[in-house]
Amino acid sequence: MPRTFNGYRLRLERRRCGISVHDLAARIGRTCWTLYGYETGRQQPPLDIADALAAVLDVPLDELLVAEDLPAVA
C-alpha cells in the first residue's frame, strides 16, 4: 500500500522532542516556511528531506508516513 508524508505526525514528533520550527528547519537546511508547509500538508518533502526529518527527530521514517487511504490531518 502506498504511503505519503504526514505533516500532522511531523508536528507531533517535533513538539514531543521540544524542537522549534526554526531549529528543525535549520537542521535540515530548509526555511521555517517550508517546514510549516510540510506540517500543514501544503507541501510534500522529497524523500531525502523526509529521511533527514526522521533522523533529527530520532524516529523511523515510517512514523512520519501514512497509508494513502487514511486522511492526513493537519
Side-chain angles (χ1 to χ4, degrees), residues 60-72:
L61 181 56
D62 281 348
E63 290 293 317
L64 302 179
L65 302 177
V66 66
E68 282 188 2
D69 61 343
L70 297 176

Side-chain angles (χ1 to χ4, degrees), residues 20-59:
S20 72
V21 170
H22 295 281
D23 187 32
L24 183 55
R27 290 185 192 193
I28 64 165
R30 295 292 190 259
T31 67
C32 62
W33 298 111
T34 299
L35 195 58
Y36 282 128
Y38 298 158
E39 287 189 354
T40 60
R42 291 185 179 125
Q43 293 179 299
Q44 291 286 308
L47 184 57
D48 61 326
I49 298 300
D51 193 46
L53 288 163
V56 170
L57 298 173
D58 196 29
V59 297

